[in-house]
Amino acid sequence: MAEIKISLPVYKICYSLAFVVGMALIRGVTSVSEIGSAMQQAMGVLAVVFCADTYMQEVQNHREEVFGMYPMKHRVRAVYVRLGIQTVYLYGISVIGYGCFFWQQPSAAWDGDPAWVSFVMYLAAMPAMLLFCGTLAMTAANLLRNLWAGIGVGALIWFGLISSGGNELLGKWNVFSFSFRAIEETGNIRWLWGSGCSLLLTMAMLATVPAILARVPGGKKGERL
């Protein structure tokens, strides 16, 4: 419960809910098949902003010296747990945001597929992307020891990935390949390669957490306790 309170302060919950509801109000869609693409890209930048301070809040609140007194395994576990809590929360509100688009009364999905087919594909595509974007921003902020720099780096990479150039360069390996899929080809699941690539990159970044935490002031003290 303590980690949940740290990971999900009220202000984060408020602006994230406002963001997903606002997306449904300002982003127009004509087909159910388009909702997933619109939401995936939007949730990517939200994950960047939302997760960048997963560890940096310790620095901002001047708790890093105390945090550094704990054994390394406890610190690493705390970061992983906080990131996991935030990702689960973002996944949950991404479902809420998807449902909000139905106020526009979009037409049925392509090829006569029922609406639940597009929704299931969306549910499968979101976790890897959220983990990647959240971990990317957190890692950048931790390395640069600056929250805004971490958000800036994450947003810059996000913008490159959702651009037409990023799509042409990476193709099915793009983190956002689900967004760029041909929505009329509902049976095409080549976007899974992008999800797999996202997970591999996320695992690589998470593996650097112990080394990054060891760099903070007093970062190795906990190893002697």
Side-chain angles (χ1 to χ4, degrees):
M1 291 301 298
E3 296 297 348
I4 291 176
K5 291 179 180 179
I6 293 173
S7 303
L8 302 176
V10 174
Y11 78 92
K12 277 191 171 185
I13 294 175
C14 291
Y15 80 66
S16 59
L17 288 174
F19 179 86
V20 297
V21 173
M23 274 296 301
L25 294 176
I26 65 176
R27 175 68 183 270
V29 297
T30 58
S31 166
V32 172
S33 302
E34 299 175 30
I35 300 176
S37 299
M39 278 299 296
Q40 192 195 37
Q41 293 186 0
M43 289 301 298
V45 73
L46 179 60
V48 166
V49 176
F50 199 89
C51 299
D53 68 345
T54 300
Y55 167 72
M56 284 304 296
Q57 57 186 287
E58 299 293 336
V59 178
Q60 291 179 305
N61 294 316
H62 308 290
R63 298 194 304 255
E64 57 182 336
E65 287 283 358
V66 175
F67 192 71
M69 297 292 290
Y70 290 97
M72 177 62 75
K73 64 179 182 180
H74 290 174
R75 285 178 279 158
V76 172
R77 183 175 62 186
V79 171
Y80 289 165
V81 169
R82 292 176 189 178
L83 185 63
I85 291 170
Q86 292 174 125
T87 302
V88 170
Y89 170 78
L90 289 171
Y91 187 65
I93 66 169
S94 71
V95 175
I96 295 174
Y98 189 99
C100 289
F101 273 89
F102 282 88
W103 80 270
Q104 300 182 30
Q105 298 181 335
S107 61
W110 288 87
D111 296 335
D113 288 326
W116 67 264
V117 173
S118 295
F119 181 59
V120 169
M121 293 175 65
Y122 172 75
L123 292 179
M126 290 300 287
M129 182 281 297
L130 291 172
L131 274 170
F132 171 80
C133 290
T135 306
L136 171 65
M138 179 191 74
T139 303
N142 291 351
L143 284 172
L144 299 173
R145 293 187 59 75
N146 186 289
L147 175 61
W148 294 108
I151 292 175
V153 170
L156 185 64
I157 294 176
W158 168 83
F159 184 79
L161 292 174
I162 68 167
S163 67
S164 57
N167 180 44
E168 292 175 5
L169 177 64
L170 299 174
K172 68 180 182 180
W173 301 103
N174 194 334
V175 172
F176 294 96
S177 57
F178 175 78
S179 296
F180 289 109
R181 77 195 191 286
I183 59 176
E184 67 274 12
E185 301 175 7
T186 53
N188 188 339
I189 56 173
R190 294 175 69 246
W191 53 267
L192 286 172
W193 290 99
S195 295
C197 184
S198 302
L199 288 175
L200 290 175
L201 292 172
T202 299
M203 291 172 62
M205 288 186 286
L206 290 177
T208 67
V209 170
I212 294 174
L213 293 186
R215 295 173 57 236
V216 306
K220 295 184 178 181
K221 289 180 181 178
E223 297 176 1
R224 299 193 295 269
L225 294 181

